[in-house]
Amino acid sequence: MTPPSGADTAASPATTEAVVDLRAIAHNVATIAATTEAAVMAVVKADGFGHGLVPIARTALDAGATWLGVTSAAEAMTLRAAGVDAPILTWLHRPDEDFRALIDAGVDISAASVEHVRGIAASASATRPATVHLKVDTGMSRNGAVPGEWPHLVDAAYDLERAGLLRVRGVWTHLATADEPERPETARQLAAFDDALKVASATGLAPALRHVANSAGALAVPESHFDLVRAGIATYGIEPVVGRAYGLRPAMTLRARAILVKRVPPGTGVSYGLDYTTTRPTTLVLVPLGYADGVPRNVAPAAEVWMRGRRHRIAGRVSMDQFVIDVGDTPATIGDEIILFGPGDRGEPTARDWAGWSDTNAHEILTRIGPRVPRRHIPASQRPPQPGPPRQRPPTKESPHV
Ligand SMILES: *Cc1c(COP(=O)(O)O)cnc(C)c1O
């Protein structure tokens, strides 16, 4: 599968924007779907990892995903209100929430305790049963019922299913170390999941969907696929296993335009604390994005951005709304395009690079991009920019209109 070529961002006049290439999202979902027989859930929580909930959901469904994953009722209802009628699973709830809107909207709800199945059933009725996925903790110790609680959860769910208030569609768990395929804990979690499935079927439950894999599991741990894989970060084009490439393509490009350019002498201190001092006559460029937009304040001195065909260092501290770059003798003018991160094929930094510079993961870099940054979506149907001038054939009588 050929990844789409780079988004042509240079033409955009926007002062700041996050360009989301939906062609890359479609490519990534198709790439994930091609690695498995299982169904693909596109995990679109946290506003589609910062890429825009509804456009990502629609694109992922068109590209072969059949499920959507979110963590809150608000996200699920936003999808339904936008007309998205695909199956949705939502998984972070208090047991005493009012689940009626979710049940009426046909949204599946995760339950990780007896209190949760009872709470969900309290919002259900025999004419409007809730559909649940029971979550087991197989070793991550985050969400899910521990093995000692699991039989009680399964029993409670079975009773409520018999009473007509619940339908148990899924049994699921989450892997803690799938992004490090050499670690032994994944196999232990899979064994614990098998035990949990045996308990469920011995009780009389027959869940149609068993699901375990996140992005790393989907791409690197075939034994974790079961009936459905839940792909988050891979959907957005970040390779989930360090050192391995599955042909994914980063979808987001974060860019801005220079709003001020100045020439300064050697010995000039820059930004709060004057931590950075110029060592020669140089040009400083002001970039109107800061930590309120999600640019990490704690970045290593090595942090770079892309301008005029090369990388330039960030000079001094990132402020709330702005930061400065030292571009040396590069000719710079107000309005110059500055790319903080993108797919990387021009040489610009990637979200992964920023993750390294600020000691976090690419998930956090993407999801922290704030609401003040406008998102612009390149449609999945738009043809990638062609290399070189288009060669036009003279129209013939038979040539159809395209
Ligand atoms: C966020 C999340 C995922 C997606 O994980 P990625 O590593 O981003 O693919 C899958 N399952 C659950 C339960 C999650 O919370």
Side-chain angles (χ1 to χ4, degrees):
M1 218 167 307
T2 328
S5 57
D8 182 15
T9 57
S12 168
T15 305
T16 67
E17 67 180 352
V19 183
V20 177
D21 190 345
L22 296 174
R23 299 169 302 185
I25 300 289
H27 164 82
N28 297 330
V29 170
T31 302
I32 298 158
T35 66
T36 182
E37 304 275 290
V40 176
M41 170 189 287
V43 178
V44 294
K45 64 190 183 186
D47 195 29
F49 282 47
H51 294 62
L53 173 64
V54 172
I56 297 300
R58 289 217 172 96
T59 304
L61 292 168
D62 285 347
T66 52
W67 277 81
L68 299 170
V70 296
T71 61
S72 70
E75 293 166 314
M77 296 313 289
T78 301
L79 287 166
R80 285 289 184 258
V84 175
D85 59 6
I88 299 174
L89 174 64
T90 175
W91 57 77
L92 293 177
H93 299 276
R94 290 194 334 265
D96 60 338
E97 286 180 31
D98 182 348
F99 293 99
R100 278 176 300 185
L102 287 175
I103 295 167
D104 288 345
V107 174
D108 290 19
I109 307 163
S110 174
S113 73
V114 172
E115 293 94 301
H116 280 88
V117 277
R118 295 210 175 117
I120 295 165
S123 293
S125 67
T127 51
R128 279 285 190 191
T131 305
V132 300
H133 297 221
L134 304 180
K135 187 153 200 191
V136 57
D137 177 4
T138 52
M140 185 167 175
S141 312
R142 197 176 66 172
N143 200 358
V146 294
E149 292 294 326
W150 179 245
H152 303 298
L153 171 56
V154 164
D155 279 347
Y158 180 73
D159 289 345
L160 291 163
E161 189 171 77
R162 296 264 303 220
L165 296 174
L166 289 187
R167 189 158 73 88
V168 178
R169 171 143 51 188
V171 168
W172 70 307
T173 193
H174 194 58
L175 296 174
T177 60
D179 57 337
E180 299 172 78
E182 68 288 352
R183 288 182 62 163
E185 292 93 337
T186 300
R188 277 181 229 150
Q189 285 199 261
L190 292 174
F193 188 63
D194 266 339
D195 292 343
L197 289 172
K198 286 190 189 115
V199 170
S201 70
T203 308
L205 294 177
L209 288 179
R210 303 157 299 162
H211 51 109
V212 176
N214 56 359
S215 293
L219 293 168
V221 190
E223 319 85 82
S224 71
H225 288 187
F226 292 91
D227 306 305
L228 176 80
V229 299
R230 305 184 306 272
I233 196 70
T235 299
Y236 307 97
I238 308 294
E239 298 287 354
V241 181
V242 174
R244 293 203 198 168
Y246 294 93
L248 304 174
R249 178 159 179 83
M252 186 189 287
T253 297
L254 180 63
R255 59 184 290 283
R257 289 201 177 273
I259 60 163
L260 189 67
V261 175
K262 62 182 77 171
R263 192 75 186 161
V264 298
T268 303
V270 182
S271 194
Y272 286 123
L274 304 175
D275 294 349
Y276 182 91
T277 307
T278 60
T279 55
R280 60 205 145 98
T282 193
T283 299
L284 301 177
V285 173
L286 183 60
V287 183
L289 284 169
Y291 58 78
D293 302 298
V295 179
R297 183 173 176 280
N298 274 321
V299 277
E304 293 172 326
V305 300
W306 182 258
M307 193 197 83
R308 289 199 177 233
R310 49 161 297 208
R311 290 187 178 206
H312 304 277
R313 296 270 288 275
I314 293 179
R317 291 185 203 163
V318 172
S319 308
M320 186 182 294
D321 319 290
Q322 50 188 310
F323 65 89
V324 176
I325 56 176
D326 182 344
V327 304
D329 293 328
T330 307
T333 57
I334 288 174
D336 276 353
E337 179 180 55
I338 291 124
I339 297 179
L340 281 77
F341 60 80
D345 35 32
R346 283 160 286 201
E348 78 275 22
T350 61
R352 256 261 160 74
D353 290 331
W354 279 88
W357 293 327
S358 54
D359 195 22
T360 183
N361 60 4
H363 305 56
E364 186 183 357
I365 296 297
L366 295 173
T367 55
R368 65 188 292 162
I369 302 306
R372 197 164 69 175
V373 181
R375 268 59 169 181
R376 178 162 62 87
H377 292 94
I378 298 175
S381 55
Q382 186 171 311
R383 301 220 17 234
Q386 298 299 306
R391 289 221 260 135
Q392 298 235 313
R393 259 192 296 158
T396 63
K397 256 208 184 111
E398 301 81 52
S399 70
H401 293 282
V402 283

